[in-house]
Each structure stands twice: as C-alpha cells, then as structure tokens.
Amino acid sequence: MTTSQEHQGGPDGQGPHPERAEADPHTPEGTGDAAPGTEDPADGENETEYAWDSRRDLYRHSPGIMLGRSARVGGSLVGGDQHGVSGGQVTGDVILGGSKVEYHLGGDTEERSGEIPGSEVEALARNFVHPVGEGETDADHEGTPAPAGGGREGGLPHGPWQPGSPFALALAGLREHRVAILSGPATTGRRAAALMLLRAVGSRSYRALDPALPPGRLAGELRDGCGHLVADFVTTAERPLREHHIRALSERLHASDSHLVVVVGPHPVVHGSLSPVPWEPPEPAALLAGHLRHKDLGGRSVDELLALAEVRAVLAHHRPVADTARFAERVAGHARGTVSLAELGAFGHYAAERQVRDWFDSADHSLHDKAFLIALATFDEAPYPLTAELSDVLFALLQRIENPGEPARIPVFGTSSAQRVEQALADRYQEPEETEWGPVLQTKVQFRDRLTAITLLREVWTGHPSARPALVAWLRRLADDPRPVVRTRAAATAAVMAEADLPSAMALLIRSWAADRRLRARLAAANALALAHHLGAPHVSRILAEWCVAPDHRLRWTAVRGYALVGDAFPEEALAALTEAVRGLEGRGGPATGWSNERDDLAQSAAALLLAAGQEAAARDDWDTVARLWSALPPQLRGNTRDFVLRATVHASGPTDGPVGTGRALLLDLFARADATPGTDGAVLRHALAALWRGVLNDPVCSASGLNTLRQWVRAAEDDRGAEAALAELLSLLAVSTEDHKRLVYLLENLRSAGESTPPSVALRLRALVLVSAPPLADAHARRPSPA
C-alpha cells in the first residue's frame, strides 16, 4: 500500500494539521464477531493512503479501455467509440453468405480425404485479396488484371501478387517442390490462401486431407492431378514434420502431377530445408474492399463506404478475415438501406460476444484454458507472468466446483506461453511497468480485440453463474494482494460485473469490501464503484451519496474515497455530498471511533475531485465550470465548514504534473492558465484561489502547512519561468494587509535549503516584486534587516 505524501503541504509532509499526524486514521474496530480493538494489527489495518495517491494508482494500473467511452456497452450495442475486433476462430476462415465453411468428413473411418468443390474455390477467388510485399502499398495492386486462365501457369507470370509478398514466396516453393507449408494464426485466412495457391499453380480439382493423419501417412492419401490441402495440421516436438516426410511428399507429388499445401499454426515444428512461409493477411480496409467489390451496394462506391466513421472505427485494428467477411455483409446492407449506422458500429461488440461464447462452449478448451482466458481478461495489458500465475489460482478454485473430489492438477511445464497467448487471440509486447522503485521492462499480453476482455468478464459473470463462487473467492484474494496492479485489477473486474449485474456484484463483492475493516478491501470497493461508473453502471452516485452519511464509518470511508476517484464526473453533486458529510460529522460531535482522520479524509477527497475536475474542464476550455466549482468554496470559510475548506485547499496544492517531488503544482498551473482579464471566468477563478490561500495563511492551524507549500512552489519555480510568473501574480493577490506582506517577505528572505547561505535567486526576484506592491508601513518594515 502506498503511503506517498508528495502532495502534503504541512511541515514534513504531514498535512494541514501536523499535530494530529500521529493519529491512526484507520483504527480497527473489527467486523463480524470480533470485538473492537481485538484485531491483529498485522492485518493491514494500520496502513494509510492519500486520496490523490489512490486516484493516481487507479489510473496507472487500470486497463486503458476501462476509463474510456469505448467500454460502455448496452445489449449488443456499444455506446462509445468502436474498436475493431481481432479475435474469432472460424474453421473455414472465409464466410460465404454469412455462413461458416466447415467440413465434417466422418463416417467411413478408412476414408481420410474429401473433395472440395471447384465452385467453392472460384467463389473464394472472387473475394480473395492478395497481401502486398515488403515495402509495397495497396496502391501497387490497383488496376492489376486477374491471372489469365484462373491463375494457371499459362497466364501472367505473377498474377495480381507481387514478388516478395507471402503469396509469391509460397507460390514459388509450391511450383518448385510441389509442396508448400503455410503458417499463421487461424484467423488470418490461411486456408483460403492455401486454396488460392493451389488454384494459381493450375489445379483443377481439390481434396482436403484429414489433419489428424500422421506426417508419414500423408503421401499415401495423394491423388493424381489434384491440388491437396491439409488445414490446421498440428506439429509439435512429439510430432514434428521432418525432412524425410517433406521429401517423400515432394517425390510423390511430382510423380502424380499434383500439389499440396500444408497449413500449420504460427509456431510450427518443421525440420529440413523447406521452411514454412508466414502468412500475413492484407490490411483490413483492403480485405473489406475486396469483399465489397462484387456486392450490390445500392449505387454507392466502395471508397465512400470505407470513409464512414463507423467503418473506419471497426477496421482500426487487425481483425479475423472471417469477421471482415461478415462485416462486409453489414456494410453492403447499409449501402442498400437495410442496416443502420448504429448496427454497423455495433459490429465490433457483436463479434467479441460471438468469440467469447465460442471459447466457453468449445470442448477443445480445457478448464485450465478457460481459467487462463478469464485471468487474461482481468489482467489485459498486464505482465504475462502475473496472468499465468493467478490463472492457476483461479483454475484450482474452479476445479473444486467442477470436480470437488479431485485435486487440481496444474501442468508445471504445459503449453508454451506463445501457444497459450496465440490460442487466446492475444499479442505479447514489451513495455515498462510502473513500480514503487521506478519503471521496469515487462513482457505484457493483451487481446487483439480491445472489447474482448470486458465482453468475456460480462459473459462469465452473467452466462455462467455456477462459476461465481470461484470468481468471488478469487477476486477477494486478489484484492488483498500486496501488488497494487493486482488489487486494482480485482476492482476493475468487479466493476465490469457491477455494470453487467449490479445487485449481485454489490451483494457478493463490493458491499462486503466496503464494510471490511481492512483498508485494502475498502479501497477495492471504492475503485470498483469508480470504474463501474466509467463503464456506465447505474446508480453509482446514489450509492456513494447514501454511504457518505451511513451509520457505519467504514461505508462512509469508502464513499468518501470513491468521490476522490470518480467525483470529478459529477463534481458539484460530489462536493455537495462531502460538504453535507462534514456537517454531519460536526453534528455528531467529531470523528467516529476508529476513524480519527475523518475530517482530513473528507478534505483530501474534495481536493482530489476539485483538482481533477478543474484540470479536465480547463483542458476543454470550460473556464465557467472551473470558476463555478472553486468560487463555491470561499463563502464556506465561515461556520463549521471552514476547517474542511482550508484542509482541502492545502491538499489540492501538492500534486504536480511531474514525477514525485518534481514539476509544476497543478493548482498553480490552473491559476497560471486562467485569464486574468477582469470580468472573465479566469479572473473569478484567480480571485477565488487567492481568497482561499489568504484563509490558509491567516489560520493559526493551517498557516504552517500553507507556508511550507509556498516554499515548495518557489523552489520548483527556479527552473520554470511560467511558474515564477504565476507565483508573482498570486503573491500580489495574497499581500493585502501589512501582516500579509511581512509574512511573505520573511518567507522569501529565509528560504534556504540545507547547506545554502542565501535564498535561491527566484526567491529574491519574487521578494522584490512583493516589496514593490507593499503599502507604506509594510514596505518600511520589510526593508529593515532580516533577523539573524
């Protein structure tokens, strides 16, 4: 649990009330049958975490899609930005008329091959798009005629393919050796490419061989004058495709005037001089254009349809060839007026749902495989070792449900990581992972389709309720993990479940976390509610408002921290709820037993949501919202909310735009960016911030924290001219009375770091500006010699 105090303004980073810093903000009171004060102090009860640190960790460790509009789903429609799907496993690789092409060649156990109709191959050829070679573009293929005679030897020397492309390389090997090995993921259209290779070398009849045949049996199944295809042929270290197998096949094929294409996975085990050719499909836009060129488009052009925002969004990522074929049907339907734009844009989510259901319905995926898929959905964009480790924990829990009398058998050296990742239609990449010691390079994994993770978690929670006990136990374990990324992902997964089924997620996970005596559990509840709101879950603001005034102080803590994390989404409502909680606190006569820092936690949350909402509104150039939020605080400097407002101001003054302890303070940056012209929203904001700061500096309790924060701002401005200019303008607004001038001049004259005999030059420049604006009495006093 982080305990960073980078943003605290008090002496030694202790906040606005240093005399209370030693109090434990989360004194255990126990849950269940435990009596207050009897808990083991080693259970994490004494940990603390500042609100801004919680917000920073939530954004740092959550998957990117969680905090964007693209994650919001409703039924089969996606309510935000669309993302292309790169998942999906289809037996035939290519769709004709919206149907999967599959072959069921059972029956006679002696027959190990079956005819592929020539009409089917010609239909595939109508839509087939050749990938470009290295250094080429799709424009290189425009206007290239189709090969004469259907691509046979007597036609063009290369047809529409280009030298150096995967198709050309495989075709050259097929012509020379009569056998070619095409490798690639199942979603790349590799089977269709294999048939096009056979067509290009002049095959007039085609047969599909049983991929379960041993390598040594393939030669015995070959027919004369025929093009043969072995799709999805599995090669492993125990069953490799060896050189003598390939030579025997080549010899038999030459003798029978036949050809053979063997389609293998992306990580084949092949020995010998004939290397597999990695198959790479064309770009999604080129594929879609190829499928549209022979369809009825209602008079609209292919280029016009490709330019639609909904189409561009779906094609933003590489997707399975089969899904592109399906999408082409929808695009053509839209061109004819039978498919709406909303339905067109929803295709990405539809495809992700289909893929996820295929995985869970598949008998080819073991329980161990499905546990890995769930773990990968939870830890999408996270380090692979973390995903693999915790997927085994989930597998053991699922195994207890499926086979309670049988212990979980976890293969220590089972499927390779590359195969597991490919089977999950995911990609591995290297990226620095933020840790408490700094960034560390990690191998991470993410689904190719950005919608897969959320879709999978929703499906397993709502479509497979028998798995819920294992999922709940797993997430509770993750929420208590010492690693921040693990705890955050547990909360993120609970958020997806809350968006899909709020009552169940609240009852089984979030409510129990919120009422837990452990800080980590309560923080998981706050994180889950914040992310659930980002995903579009209903009633989150209502839950926070009710808990914020609940009798149970643990629920109140969760709600208060939740406002720090997501209150910027509804800042005025959140600030009003926190203010009401402050009045309730004072009405009860002070903080609850076990929560001595209740006042400070309320102020931290207010500071976090105000700072975040101000930054976001300023980025939109919405200075009216920024000014309205901050100008609501100075009137509350009277009455029982005064302490709350001053604390919030000090806490909002610490976070910076750089790493810990560096960069410009965000609040000062907000002041600097605001327009100082009288009558503008920026001027209203500046005067509100100045009024708050004058309140801090003139308060007997908070002034020490405020002065310490000003010292930090001045030191940071030494190398930041913009910050120095903003400080100069702020100090002129703060130096209203003679006492204000005395205080600021003394601070700037005596600003020295350890080992320094004189103040930094920026302090002297700012002191000169303060003296210029001083009233006569303050100026005379300030020019006296400084105390020794």
Side-chain angles (χ1 to χ4, degrees), residues 552-595:
D552 187 340
H553 74 272
R554 299 187 185 94
L555 292 181
R556 294 204 304 275
W557 187 97
T558 302
V560 168
R561 185 52 53 93
Y563 280 126
L565 304 176
V566 75
D568 55 298
F570 38 89
E572 293 180 348
E573 176 186 341
L575 191 58
L578 291 175
T579 304
E580 188 61 31
V582 170
R583 295 192 175 102
L585 163 66
E586 301 304 337
R588 292 191 303 270
T593 303
W595 189 11

Short mmCIF file of all heavy atoms in Angstrom, two decimals, residues 552-595:
data_model
loop_
_atom_site.label_atom_id
_atom_site.label_comp_id
_atom_site.label_asym_id
_atom_site.label_seq_id
_atom_site.Cartn_x
_atom_site.Cartn_y
_atom_site.Cartn_z
N ASP A 552 -22.39 3.31 9.54
CA ASP A 552 -21.14 2.54 9.56
C ASP A 552 -20.01 3.42 9.01
O ASP A 552 -20.04 3.82 7.84
CB ASP A 552 -21.30 1.28 8.71
CG ASP A 552 -20.09 0.35 8.82
OD1 ASP A 552 -19.01 0.81 9.23
OD2 ASP A 552 -20.24 -0.84 8.47
N HIS A 553 -19.00 3.70 9.83
CA HIS A 553 -17.94 4.60 9.38
C HIS A 553 -17.11 4.00 8.26
O HIS A 553 -16.48 4.72 7.50
CB HIS A 553 -17.05 5.01 10.56
CG HIS A 553 -16.12 3.94 11.02
ND1 HIS A 553 -16.47 3.00 11.96
CD2 HIS A 553 -14.83 3.65 10.67
CE1 HIS A 553 -15.44 2.19 12.19
NE2 HIS A 553 -14.45 2.57 11.41
N ARG A 554 -17.12 2.67 8.12
CA ARG A 554 -16.37 2.06 7.02
C ARG A 554 -17.05 2.34 5.68
O ARG A 554 -16.38 2.58 4.67
CB ARG A 554 -16.22 0.56 7.26
CG ARG A 554 -15.46 0.22 8.54
CD ARG A 554 -15.19 -1.27 8.64
NE ARG A 554 -14.57 -1.59 9.92
CZ ARG A 554 -15.24 -1.98 11.00
NH1 ARG A 554 -16.55 -2.11 10.95
NH2 ARG A 554 -14.61 -2.26 12.14
N LEU A 555 -18.37 2.27 5.66
CA LEU A 555 -19.08 2.64 4.44
C LEU A 555 -18.85 4.10 4.12
O LEU A 555 -18.69 4.48 2.94
CB LEU A 555 -20.58 2.36 4.60
CG LEU A 555 -21.02 0.89 4.70
CD1 LEU A 555 -22.53 0.81 4.84
CD2 LEU A 555 -20.56 0.09 3.50
N ARG A 556 -18.84 4.94 5.15
CA ARG A 556 -18.59 6.36 4.90
C ARG A 556 -17.19 6.56 4.32
O ARG A 556 -17.00 7.34 3.39
CB ARG A 556 -18.74 7.17 6.21
CG ARG A 556 -20.14 7.19 6.76
CD ARG A 556 -20.38 8.41 7.65
NE ARG A 556 -19.44 8.53 8.74
CZ ARG A 556 -19.55 7.92 9.92
NH1 ARG A 556 -20.59 7.10 10.13
NH2 ARG A 556 -18.66 8.10 10.88
N TRP A 557 -16.19 5.86 4.85
CA TRP A 557 -14.84 6.00 4.32
C TRP A 557 -14.80 5.59 2.84
O TRP A 557 -14.19 6.27 2.02
CB TRP A 557 -13.86 5.12 5.12
CG TRP A 557 -12.43 5.34 4.73
CD1 TRP A 557 -11.52 6.13 5.34
CD2 TRP A 557 -11.74 4.77 3.59
NE1 TRP A 557 -10.32 6.10 4.69
CE2 TRP A 557 -10.42 5.27 3.60
CE3 TRP A 557 -12.10 3.89 2.58
CZ2 TRP A 557 -9.47 4.93 2.65
CZ3 TRP A 557 -11.15 3.54 1.61
CH2 TRP A 557 -9.85 4.06 1.66
N THR A 558 -15.47 4.47 2.51
CA THR A 558 -15.47 4.01 1.12
C THR A 558 -16.10 5.03 0.20
O THR A 558 -15.59 5.31 -0.90
CB THR A 558 -16.24 2.68 1.02
OG1 THR A 558 -15.61 1.71 1.88
CG2 THR A 558 -16.23 2.15 -0.41
N ALA A 559 -17.21 5.63 0.64
CA ALA A 559 -17.87 6.63 -0.20
C ALA A 559 -17.01 7.87 -0.35
O ALA A 559 -16.89 8.43 -1.45
CB ALA A 559 -19.22 7.00 0.41
N VAL A 560 -16.39 8.31 0.74
CA VAL A 560 -15.54 9.50 0.69
C VAL A 560 -14.38 9.27 -0.27
O VAL A 560 -14.06 10.12 -1.11
CB VAL A 560 -15.04 9.86 2.09
CG1 VAL A 560 -13.94 10.91 2.02
CG2 VAL A 560 -16.20 10.36 2.95
N ARG A 561 -13.74 8.11 -0.19
CA ARG A 561 -12.65 7.81 -1.11
C ARG A 561 -13.17 7.64 -2.53
O ARG A 561 -12.49 8.00 -3.50
CB ARG A 561 -11.90 6.56 -0.63
CG ARG A 561 -10.65 6.21 -1.45
CD ARG A 561 -9.68 7.37 -1.60
NE ARG A 561 -9.30 7.98 -0.36
CZ ARG A 561 -8.22 7.65 0.35
NH1 ARG A 561 -7.43 6.69 -0.07
NH2 ARG A 561 -7.94 8.29 1.46
N GLY A 562 -14.36 7.09 -2.68
CA GLY A 562 -14.95 6.95 -4.01
C GLY A 562 -15.14 8.29 -4.69
O GLY A 562 -14.92 8.42 -5.90
N TYR A 563 -15.53 9.31 -3.92
CA TYR A 563 -15.68 10.65 -4.50
C TYR A 563 -14.34 11.18 -5.00
O TYR A 563 -14.28 11.91 -6.00
CB TYR A 563 -16.28 11.61 -3.48
CG TYR A 563 -17.78 11.49 -3.34
CD1 TYR A 563 -18.37 11.29 -2.11
CD2 TYR A 563 -18.60 11.60 -4.45
CE1 TYR A 563 -19.75 11.19 -1.98
CE2 TYR A 563 -19.98 11.49 -4.34
CZ TYR A 563 -20.55 11.29 -3.10
OH TYR A 563 -21.91 11.19 -2.99
N ALA A 564 -13.25 10.84 -4.32
CA ALA A 564 -11.93 11.27 -4.79
C ALA A 564 -11.59 10.65 -6.13
O ALA A 564 -10.89 11.24 -6.96
CB ALA A 564 -10.87 10.91 -3.76
N LEU A 565 -12.09 9.43 -6.37
CA LEU A 565 -11.74 8.69 -7.57
C LEU A 565 -12.63 9.02 -8.77
O LEU A 565 -12.17 9.00 -9.90
CB LEU A 565 -11.81 7.19 -7.30
CG LEU A 565 -10.95 6.68 -6.13
CD1 LEU A 565 -11.20 5.20 -5.90
CD2 LEU A 565 -9.48 6.94 -6.39
N VAL A 566 -13.90 9.29 -8.51
CA VAL A 566 -14.83 9.48 -9.61
C VAL A 566 -15.69 10.73 -9.46
O VAL A 566 -16.50 11.04 -10.33
CB VAL A 566 -15.75 8.23 -9.74
CG1 VAL A 566 -16.81 8.19 -8.64
CG2 VAL A 566 -16.36 8.11 -11.13
N GLY A 567 -15.51 11.48 -8.37
CA GLY A 567 -16.32 12.66 -8.14
C GLY A 567 -16.18 13.72 -9.21
O GLY A 567 -17.09 14.53 -9.41
N ASP A 568 -15.06 13.72 -9.93
CA ASP A 568 -14.88 14.72 -10.99
C ASP A 568 -15.86 14.50 -12.14
O ASP A 568 -16.04 15.39 -12.97
CB ASP A 568 -13.45 14.69 -11.51
CG ASP A 568 -13.03 13.30 -11.97
OD1 ASP A 568 -13.02 12.39 -11.12
OD2 ASP A 568 -12.70 13.13 -13.15
N ALA A 569 -16.50 13.31 -12.20
CA ALA A 569 -17.51 13.07 -13.23
C ALA A 569 -18.81 13.79 -12.92
O ALA A 569 -19.60 14.07 -13.82
CB ALA A 569 -17.77 11.57 -13.38
N PHE A 570 -19.08 14.08 -11.65
CA PHE A 570 -20.25 14.86 -11.24
C PHE A 570 -19.82 15.74 -10.06
O PHE A 570 -20.26 15.57 -8.93
CB PHE A 570 -21.42 13.95 -10.84
CG PHE A 570 -21.01 12.70 -10.11
CD1 PHE A 570 -20.90 12.67 -8.72
CD2 PHE A 570 -20.72 11.53 -10.81
CE1 PHE A 570 -20.52 11.52 -8.05
CE2 PHE A 570 -20.34 10.37 -10.13
CZ PHE A 570 -20.24 10.37 -8.74
N PRO A 571 -18.93 16.72 -10.31
CA PRO A 571 -18.23 17.43 -9.23
C PRO A 571 -19.14 18.22 -8.30
O PRO A 571 -18.91 18.24 -7.09
CB PRO A 571 -17.26 18.34 -9.99
CG PRO A 571 -17.84 18.49 -11.36
CD PRO A 571 -18.52 17.19 -11.65
N GLU A 572 -20.13 18.89 -8.83
CA GLU A 572 -20.98 19.70 -7.96
C GLU A 572 -21.77 18.83 -7.01
O GLU A 572 -21.90 19.13 -5.81
CB GLU A 572 -21.90 20.58 -8.82
CG GLU A 572 -21.14 21.64 -9.61
CD GLU A 572 -22.06 22.49 -10.46
OE1 GLU A 572 -23.24 22.10 -10.61
OE2 GLU A 572 -21.60 23.52 -10.97
N GLU A 573 -22.29 17.71 -7.52
CA GLU A 573 -23.02 16.76 -6.67
C GLU A 573 -22.09 16.15 -5.63
O GLU A 573 -22.45 16.00 -4.46
CB GLU A 573 -23.64 15.67 -7.55
CG GLU A 573 -24.35 14.58 -6.78
CD GLU A 573 -24.83 13.46 -7.69
OE1 GLU A 573 -24.93 13.69 -8.92
OE2 GLU A 573 -25.08 12.36 -7.19
N ALA A 574 -20.88 15.79 -6.05
CA ALA A 574 -19.92 15.17 -5.14
C ALA A 574 -19.49 16.15 -4.05
O ALA A 574 -19.40 15.79 -2.86
CB ALA A 574 -18.70 14.67 -5.91
N LEU A 575 -19.20 17.38 -4.44
CA LEU A 575 -18.78 18.38 -3.45
C LEU A 575 -19.89 18.67 -2.45
O LEU A 575 -19.65 18.83 -1.25
CB LEU A 575 -18.36 19.66 -4.17
CG LEU A 575 -17.64 20.71 -3.32
CD1 LEU A 575 -16.39 20.14 -2.69
CD2 LEU A 575 -17.32 21.93 -4.16
N ALA A 576 -21.14 18.71 -2.93
CA ALA A 576 -22.27 18.92 -2.01
C ALA A 576 -22.41 17.76 -1.04
O ALA A 576 -22.69 17.97 0.16
CB ALA A 576 -23.56 19.09 -2.82
N ALA A 577 -22.19 16.53 -1.52
CA ALA A 577 -22.29 15.36 -0.63
C ALA A 577 -21.20 15.38 0.43
O ALA A 577 -21.45 15.07 1.61
CB ALA A 577 -22.21 14.08 -1.46
N LEU A 578 -19.98 15.74 0.05
CA LEU A 578 -18.89 15.82 1.02
C LEU A 578 -19.14 16.94 2.03
O LEU A 578 -18.85 16.77 3.24
CB LEU A 578 -17.56 16.03 0.29
CG LEU A 578 -17.05 14.86 -0.55
CD1 LEU A 578 -15.79 15.25 -1.31
CD2 LEU A 578 -16.77 13.64 0.33
N THR A 579 -19.66 18.05 1.57
CA THR A 579 -19.97 19.15 2.49
C THR A 579 -21.04 18.74 3.49
O THR A 579 -20.96 19.05 4.68
CB THR A 579 -20.42 20.38 1.69
OG1 THR A 579 -19.42 20.72 0.74
CG2 THR A 579 -20.65 21.57 2.61
N GLU A 580 -22.05 18.01 3.01
CA GLU A 580 -23.10 17.53 3.90
C GLU A 580 -22.52 16.53 4.91
O GLU A 580 -22.92 16.50 6.08
CB GLU A 580 -24.21 16.87 3.08
CG GLU A 580 -25.44 16.51 3.89
CD GLU A 580 -26.10 17.71 4.53
OE1 GLU A 580 -26.03 18.81 3.95
OE2 GLU A 580 -26.68 17.55 5.63
N ALA A 581 -21.57 15.71 4.45
CA ALA A 581 -20.93 14.77 5.37
C ALA A 581 -20.14 15.50 6.44
O ALA A 581 -20.08 15.06 7.60
CB ALA A 581 -20.01 13.83 4.59
N VAL A 582 -19.52 16.62 6.08
CA VAL A 582 -18.79 17.43 7.07
C VAL A 582 -19.76 17.97 8.13
O VAL A 582 -19.48 17.93 9.33
CB VAL A 582 -18.06 18.59 6.37
CG1 VAL A 582 -17.51 19.57 7.39
CG2 VAL A 582 -16.94 18.04 5.50
N ARG A 583 -20.90 18.46 7.68
CA ARG A 583 -21.88 18.98 8.64
C ARG A 583 -22.39 17.86 9.54
O ARG A 583 -22.62 18.06 10.74
CB ARG A 583 -23.03 19.65 7.89
CG ARG A 583 -22.61 20.90 7.11
CD ARG A 583 -23.83 21.68 6.62
NE ARG A 583 -23.41 22.93 5.99
CZ ARG A 583 -23.35 23.13 4.68
NH1 ARG A 583 -23.66 22.13 3.85
NH2 ARG A 583 -22.97 24.29 4.18
N GLY A 584 -22.58 16.67 8.95
CA GLY A 584 -22.99 15.54 9.77
C GLY A 584 -21.94 15.16 10.79
O GLY A 584 -22.25 14.81 11.93
N LEU A 585 -20.67 15.22 10.37
CA LEU A 585 -19.57 14.93 11.28
C LEU A 585 -19.57 15.90 12.47
O LEU A 585 -19.46 15.49 13.63
CB LEU A 585 -18.25 15.02 10.51
CG LEU A 585 -16.96 15.15 11.32
CD1 LEU A 585 -16.70 13.88 12.11
CD2 LEU A 585 -15.77 15.45 10.40
N GLU A 586 -19.70 17.18 12.19
CA GLU A 586 -19.71 18.17 13.27
C GLU A 586 -20.96 18.02 14.13
O GLU A 586 -20.92 18.23 15.34
CB GLU A 586 -19.62 19.58 12.68
CG GLU A 586 -18.38 19.82 11.83
CD GLU A 586 -17.08 19.55 12.57
OE1 GLU A 586 -17.06 19.58 13.81
OE2 GLU A 586 -16.06 19.29 11.88
N GLY A 587 -22.07 17.62 13.50
CA GLY A 587 -23.28 17.42 14.26
C GLY A 587 -23.18 16.24 15.22
O GLY A 587 -23.84 16.23 16.26
N ARG A 588 -22.35 15.25 14.85
CA ARG A 588 -22.14 14.10 15.75
C ARG A 588 -21.14 14.41 16.84
O ARG A 588 -20.88 13.57 17.71
CB ARG A 588 -21.64 12.88 14.95
CG ARG A 588 -22.65 12.31 13.98
CD ARG A 588 -22.18 10.96 13.42
NE ARG A 588 -20.89 11.07 12.76
CZ ARG A 588 -20.72 11.34 11.48
NH1 ARG A 588 -21.79 11.58 10.71
NH2 ARG A 588 -19.51 11.41 10.95
N GLY A 589 -20.51 15.56 16.77
CA GLY A 589 -19.55 15.93 17.79
C GLY A 589 -18.13 15.53 17.49
O GLY A 589 -17.26 15.62 18.36
N GLY A 590 -17.86 15.10 16.26
CA GLY A 590 -16.48 14.76 15.91
C GLY A 590 -16.39 13.44 15.18
O GLY A 590 -17.41 12.79 14.91
N PRO A 591 -15.18 13.04 14.85
CA PRO A 591 -14.98 11.80 14.07
C PRO A 591 -15.45 10.57 14.82
O PRO A 591 -15.50 10.54 16.05
CB PRO A 591 -13.46 11.76 13.85
CG PRO A 591 -12.99 13.16 14.08
CD PRO A 591 -13.91 13.74 15.10
N ALA A 592 -15.77 9.53 14.04
CA ALA A 592 -16.19 8.25 14.62
C ALA A 592 -15.00 7.56 15.26
O ALA A 592 -13.84 7.75 14.86
CB ALA A 592 -16.79 7.37 13.53
N THR A 593 -15.28 6.73 16.23
CA THR A 593 -14.24 5.92 16.84
C THR A 593 -13.67 4.98 15.78
O THR A 593 -14.40 4.28 15.08
CB THR A 593 -14.83 5.08 17.99
OG1 THR A 593 -15.43 5.96 18.94
CG2 THR A 593 -13.74 4.26 18.66
N GLY A 594 -12.36 4.99 15.67
CA GLY A 594 -11.72 4.18 14.64
C GLY A 594 -11.45 4.94 13.36
O GLY A 594 -10.89 4.38 12.42
N TRP A 595 -11.87 6.19 13.30
CA TRP A 595 -11.60 6.99 12.10
C TRP A 595 -11.26 8.40 12.54
O TRP A 595 -11.97 9.35 12.29
CB TRP A 595 -12.81 6.97 11.17
CG TRP A 595 -12.55 7.59 9.83
CD1 TRP A 595 -11.35 7.96 9.30
CD2 TRP A 595 -13.54 7.92 8.84
NE1 TRP A 595 -11.51 8.49 8.05
CE2 TRP A 595 -12.84 8.47 7.73
CE3 TRP A 595 -14.91 7.79 8.77
CZ2 TRP A 595 -13.50 8.90 6.59
CZ3 TRP A 595 -15.56 8.21 7.62
CH2 TRP A 595 -14.87 8.76 6.54
#
